[in-house]
């Protein structure tokens, strides 16, 4: 069984009372090359996210960055990078970006990497989400939701994959982030047998 990696939180040292940023750093891995590869990928995405969230904007009022570890077991690390910024107006905006790695190789998995090549995973997941939207009475922007993007945002948590949408992507701001946890068992037919999802579920 692959052991969890050690994830610590570091704060960005900034001479500003407007900005507070904590970011994840992987330490104490046996393979220093893989450790650097994962840390570089994390900080690269985080830097892009900070820029997108007005880090250098003169009108910036407040920016808060933090992270959440969602899965850290069986050779899989899945985490969320979260940045809120406010530059005036009715409210600030939060963006979430998720990263899922194979800790043995440092490979960063996109959503399509989790499923069998040529499978209809987009349709399978989209059907589930459309049903959840109806069941949970979620208000949807026009045009109505039809299907996920092939590289839709996601993270892994326990034995589920959580598909989610950014603010305003499919629903009004007041709805918050639409998160759709889907048990891996419900996707068994399309899961790649040698991919990360197969490590998080015991097929019957």
């Amino acid at each position: 069984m692959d052991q969890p990696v050690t994830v610590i939180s570091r704060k960005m040292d900034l001479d500003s009372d407007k900005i507070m940023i904590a970011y994840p750093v992987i330490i104490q891995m046996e393979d220093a090359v893989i450790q650097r590869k994962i840390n570089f990928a994390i900080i690269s995405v985080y830097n892009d996210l900070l820029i997108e969230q007005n880090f250098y904007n003169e009108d910036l009022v407040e920016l808060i960055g933090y992270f959440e570890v969602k899965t850290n077991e069986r050779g899989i690390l899945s985490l969320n990078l979260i940045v809120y910024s406010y530059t005036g107006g009715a409210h600030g905006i939060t963006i979430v970006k998720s990263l899922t790695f194979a800790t043995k190789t440092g490979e960063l998995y996109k959503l399509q990497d989790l499923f069998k090549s040529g499978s209809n995973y987009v349709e399978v997941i989209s059907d589930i989400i459309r049903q959840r939207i109806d069941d949970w009475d979620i208000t949807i922007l026009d045009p109505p939701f039809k299907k996920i993007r092939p590289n839709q945002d996601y993270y892994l948590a326990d034995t589920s994959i959580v598909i989610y949408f950014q603010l305003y992507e499919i629903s009004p701001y007041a709805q918050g982030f639409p998160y759709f946890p889907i048990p891996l068992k419900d996707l068994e037919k399309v899961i790649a047998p040698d991919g990360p999802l197969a490590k998080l579920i015991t097929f019957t």
Side-chain angles (χ1 to χ4, degrees):
M1 186 71 68
D2 293 302
Q3 295 299 311
V5 298
T6 301
V7 185
I8 64 171
S9 176
R10 286 186 180 162
K11 292 183 178 180
M12 191 174 290
D13 187 13
L14 297 165
D15 186 20
S16 172
D17 56 3
K18 298 179 181 180
I19 301 174
M20 293 180 291
I21 297 172
Y23 60 97
V25 178
I26 313 304
I27 63 170
Q28 298 176 344
M29 287 185 68
E30 291 183 4
D31 192 322
V33 174
I34 299 302
Q35 178 175 295
R36 284 195 298 272
K37 182 178 180 179
I38 294 174
N39 282 329
F40 180 78
I42 290 171
I43 205 65
S44 295
V45 172
Y46 211 159
N47 281 339
D48 289 344
L49 186 53
L50 292 173
I51 293 171
E52 184 177 355
Q53 285 289 73
N54 302 296
F55 184 88
Y56 295 109
N57 191 328
E58 293 181 356
D59 296 326
L60 182 67
V61 177
E62 183 180 31
L63 187 149
I64 300 172
Y66 58 103
F67 69 94
E68 299 170 341
V69 176
K70 294 299 185 178
T71 293
N72 186 9
E73 62 176 325
R74 303 187 188 184
I76 304 298
L77 174 66
S78 191
L79 50 84
N80 291 349
L81 306 175
I82 305 151
V83 179
Y84 163 85
S85 72
Y86 179 63
T87 55
H91 53 71
I93 289 291
T94 302
I95 297 179
V96 180
K97 292 295 181 185
S98 302
L99 302 172
T100 297
F101 296 95
T103 57
K104 276 191 174 181
T105 64
E107 180 181 358
L108 177 60
Y109 293 109
K110 295 180 180 179
L111 183 63
Q112 55 261 43
D113 299 330
L114 309 181
F115 301 99
K116 295 175 182 177
S117 178
S119 71
N120 63 335
Y121 76 92
V122 168
E123 288 75 17
V124 172
I125 292 173
S126 299
D127 287 346
I128 294 171
I129 290 176
R130 280 195 300 270
Q131 187 61 54
R132 299 278 177 83
I133 288 172
D134 290 340
D135 292 344
W136 299 344
D137 196 24
I138 297 173
T139 301
I140 298 298
L141 295 172
D142 192 46
F145 170 78
K146 292 184 178 180
K147 64 180 181 179
I148 64 169
R149 292 177 282 105
N151 62 341
Q152 190 68 47
D153 292 311
Y154 81 93
Y155 61 85
L156 305 181
D158 299 320
T159 55
S160 295
I161 183 171
V162 181
I163 304 293
Y164 67 94
F165 300 83
Q166 300 296 328
L167 298 176
Y168 294 117
E169 189 173 352
I170 65 168
S171 59
Y173 180 88
Q175 294 274 175
F177 285 86
Y179 290 98
F180 298 91
I182 301 174
L184 298 183
K185 279 285 188 180
D186 293 349
L187 303 174
E188 181 174 351
K189 292 182 179 179
V190 292
I191 286 175
D194 56 349
L197 299 188
K199 297 180 180 180
L200 298 176
I201 185 173
T202 301
F203 296 110
T204 57

